[in-house]
Amino acid sequence: MIAVIIVDYHSGNLTRRALASLVTLGRDGLRFIVVDNGDSLDAARMEADFPHLAVLKPGRNLGFAGGCNLGMVRALEYGAEYCLLLNPDTRAETDFIRPLLAAMEAEPRIGIAAPTILQDDQGRRVTDGGGLVNWWSGTARGVTDRRLRAEGPYLEVPFATGAAMLIRSEAIKQVGPMDEGYFLYYEDSDYCQAFIQKGWKIGYLPQAELLHATSSVSGRGSESYLYYFARNRIRFVRRWARWYHRPVFLLFNGMVRLPAMVALYGLIRRRPVAAVAIIRGFLDGIRGNSGPMPS
């Protein structure tokens, strides 16, 4: 049984669309768990509309990691063999689960499997064709083309986006929950490294494809987005990078990236509040602060 976990934050229509697309796949053995971080969903109506669905209401915003953790706890209680984390703004047109599951059943050391993610528009541009990590700059990103190819059934990568990852429950029990200190962004990068440290593989399946309306709920360019990325990048590198990466990372971020981003948002785009968010995020990262963005 596969438990599909969607963390919702005021994106009920998108969540419904994602669920509907999964139902149309006609797969047996799917159970759905929606974590309502925004406390905005009509749980009774949604549970009536979709079979095998549970809406969890924590009563506060747990962040992405906290929402995923709550969903995974429930999935393990159900006895799910796999947990499929999906963003609410994803949509399936083909059965992308099949190749992910086949690879994991063939290779028992794959702890996380990820599909190719395409922009949900007419162009179908690749937005995540496998993940890479640059420890010098502290960047974990999806490859935006099809350069990564698998000679076998999958390609081993250091990073899979939390927008879509199939996770083996056995591995979750060994590795533990996501780090909720990130609250938003970089928690998926961190989780992948935790899996790798425990001897699990991250498998990318180029032939599995999922659509993602990446601009719809991500808040790209918002003050919170800029704050969390500036802060959590530092948290990620401190935890996982090798000692010789860290001084280069801090010099690059403090002397190059920070001034460039502050100039871009504060002077060129004339968004001083955004520039302040970047500075606050950087300083909070240096201080080791975690959790939600301070008000």
Side-chain angles (χ1 to χ4, degrees):
M1 185 250 288
I2 299 174
V4 180
I5 300 168
I6 297 177
V7 178
D8 182 288
Y9 185 74
H10 301 298
S11 52
N13 290 335
L14 289 170
T15 296
R16 282 181 166 273
R17 188 186 70 163
L19 292 170
S21 74
L22 294 171
V23 170
T24 59
L25 296 179
R27 291 193 62 90
D28 294 327
L30 292 183
R31 295 197 68 164
F32 304 109
I33 300 170
V34 174
V35 180
D36 184 11
N37 264 352
D39 198 24
S40 60
L41 299 179
D42 185 337
R45 181 178 176 184
M46 185 170 280
E47 289 174 348
D49 290 343
F50 294 97
H52 310 298
L53 169 67
V55 177
L56 308 184
K57 287 183 168 289
R60 60 187 178 91
N61 185 1
L62 302 177
F64 181 72
C68 288
N69 287 339
L70 182 62
M72 288 190 290
V73 167
R74 178 62 63 90
L76 295 180
E77 291 173 354
Y78 288 157
E81 298 172 273
Y82 299 91
C83 294
L84 176 60
L85 304 186
L86 286 180
N87 273 13
D89 52 355
T90 56
R91 181 169 66 90
E93 281 190 330
T94 58
D95 189 355
F96 72 99
I97 299 174
R98 185 181 303 278
L100 301 181
L101 191 59
M104 298 184 82
E105 289 178 343
E107 172 49 80
R109 293 311 299 171
I110 297 179
I112 296 175
T116 297
I117 296 179
L118 308 175
Q119 179 69 31
D120 193 359
D121 58 21
Q122 291 183 347
R124 296 293 196 265
R125 177 177 60 87
V126 175
T127 60
D128 199 309
L132 297 175
V133 176
N134 184 329
W135 294 108
W136 303 105
S137 64
T139 303
R141 64 180 181 86
V143 177
T144 56
D145 55 36
R146 296 183 182 272
R147 79 183 72 166
L148 296 184
R149 289 288 187 269
E151 296 181 0
Y154 71 96
L155 180 69
E156 191 171 348
V157 293
F159 163 66
T161 174
M165 56 167 63
L166 184 64
I167 312 176
R168 193 184 301 272
S169 293
E170 176 189 349
I172 293 173
K173 294 174 183 177
Q174 180 185 2
V175 176
M178 283 187 176
D179 182 353
E180 298 182 15
Y182 288 91
F183 193 77
L184 190 62
Y185 304 124
Y186 267 90
E187 62 283 285
D188 48 3
S189 312
D190 181 277
Y191 208 38
C192 288
Q193 292 302 308
F195 271 67
I196 292 169
Q197 186 187 57
K198 293 290 186 179
W200 296 97
K201 297 179 180 180
I202 313 299
Y204 164 55
L205 283 295
Q207 66 273 31
E209 295 186 346
L210 179 70
L211 301 178
H212 186 201
T214 52
S215 62
S216 58
V217 298
S218 62
R220 190 176 299 274
S222 67
E223 284 76 33
S224 61
Y225 175 94
L226 296 169
Y227 170 85
Y228 285 120
F229 259 84
R231 187 193 73 181
N232 292 345
R233 185 183 293 115
I234 297 172
R235 182 181 182 88
F236 177 66
V237 169
R238 274 183 166 169
R239 184 172 184 186
W240 298 111
R242 297 186 182 276
W243 67 267
Y244 50 81
H245 291 129
R246 296 172 190 169
V248 176
F249 164 80
L250 289 173
L251 282 173
F252 173 76
N253 275 268
M255 303 299 292
V256 179
R257 177 180 271 153
L258 179 63
M261 294 293 288
V262 169
L264 173 64
Y265 282 93
L267 299 177
I268 298 174
R269 297 185 180 178
R270 297 183 181 181
R271 293 180 56 197
V273 175
V276 170
I278 295 168
I279 295 171
R280 290 176 64 197
F282 179 83
L283 293 176
D284 280 351
I286 295 296
R287 298 182 186 115
N289 293 349
S290 61
M293 175 181 175
S295 57

